[in-house]
């Protein structure tokens, strides 16, 4: 009997872990309340400040995390522990992204079409900088990139949408960083306390 229990321990443990994670999603992550005041919208796995988190968005984040892991590990599939970590990471990134977007919206941060065009044209994303067709002598060539954007056969809408989603978050980051300042007196006092030697 003990031998059979020992053999089934792994299955029982996984059932317990899955049930616990399910409870977390239902009770804590979704702000679930008995009585149905904060019902989860159909097709959602939770909500943040009343905004639903679509299950599809979570699935996409998990799939992206798994693909990145496979690329970094030479095509190896993640083990069970790594799979749980990747799912948690995807959830955390999704929640963080939604919270940042809500804060940018609360602050009224928007992106004009002119601003979008300027950034798309002059500040290419890192993944585009590494494309071989946009390089000259092993270095990124801005002129080739801009020529590609002006080509009528190239659909730039996905790129524009990506920038339109990311620019408000960058502006929010600049606002937060810009709000942090230190006076000359505080800077001098810090320097003095770290470098003063007692005789």
């Amino acid at each position: 009997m003990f031998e059979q229990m020992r053999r089934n321990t792994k299955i029982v443990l996984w059932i317990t872990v899955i049930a616990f994670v399910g409870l977390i999603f239902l009770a804590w992550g979704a702000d679930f309340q008995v009585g149905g005041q904060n019902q989860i919208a159909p097709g959602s796995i939770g909500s943040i400040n009343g905004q639903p988190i679509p299950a599809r968005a979570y699935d996409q984040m998990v799939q992206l995390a798994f693909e990145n892991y496979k690329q970094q590990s030479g095509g190896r599939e993640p083990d069970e522990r790594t799979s749980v970590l990747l799912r948690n990471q995807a959830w955390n990134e999704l929640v963080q992204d939604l919270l940042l977007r809500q804060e940018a919206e609360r602050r009224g941060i928007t992106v004009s079409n002119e601003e979008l065009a300027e950034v798309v044209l002059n500040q290419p994303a890192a993944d585009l900088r590494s494309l071989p067709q946009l390089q000259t002598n092993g270095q990124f060539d801005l002129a080739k990139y801009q020529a590609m954007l002006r080509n009528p056969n190239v659909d730039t809408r996905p790129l524009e949408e990506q920038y339109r989603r990311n620019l408000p978050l960058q502006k929010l980051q600049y606002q937060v960083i810009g709000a942090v300042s230190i006076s000359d007196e505080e800077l001098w006092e810090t320097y003095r306390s770290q470098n003063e030697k007692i005789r």
Side-chain angles (χ1 to χ4, degrees), residues 16-77:
T16 305
V17 167
I18 291 170
F20 182 71
V21 170
L23 175 66
I24 289 172
F25 276 107
L26 286 175
W28 299 328
D31 194 22
F32 180 76
Q33 293 182 0
V34 178
Q37 290 178 336
N38 290 338
Q39 293 285 329
I40 299 172
S44 299
I45 58 172
S47 69
I48 297 177
N49 297 329
Q51 185 174 351
I53 301 174
R56 181 176 28 88
Y58 174 69
D59 291 341
Q60 289 171 347
M61 290 291 285
V62 169
Q63 184 178 359
L64 183 63
F66 274 68
E67 288 172 6
N68 289 340
Y69 177 83
K70 286 180 190 176
Q71 285 179 350
Q72 293 172 357
S73 66
R76 194 178 70 223
E77 291 287 333

Side-chain angles (χ1 to χ4, degrees), residues 137-190:
N137 298 328
Q139 297 292 320
F140 174 74
D141 190 340
L142 184 62
K144 284 183 178 180
Y145 169 73
Q146 291 174 343
M148 178 196 76
L149 292 177
R150 290 186 176 104
N151 183 345
N153 297 326
V154 174
D155 184 13
T156 59
R157 288 178 295 187
L159 181 62
E160 291 171 17
E161 185 57 35
Q162 178 185 355
Y163 275 88
R164 193 174 294 280
R165 285 185 51 78
N166 293 337
L167 279 175
L169 301 184
Q170 287 179 3
K171 285 179 151 186
L172 174 64
Q173 184 179 16
Y174 293 147
Q175 279 186 5
V176 171
I177 290 172
V180 176
S181 63
I182 188 167
S183 69
D184 290 340
E185 294 81 23
E186 290 173 315
L187 186 60
W188 173 248
E189 187 60 37
T190 302

Side-chain angles (χ1 to χ4, degrees), residues 124 128-145:
L128 292 174
R129 289 177 169 271
S130 61
L131 291 176
Q133 62 265 33
L134 298 179
Q135 295 189 0
T136 303
N137 298 328
Q139 297 292 320
F140 174 74
D141 190 340
L142 184 62
K144 284 183 178 180
Y145 169 73

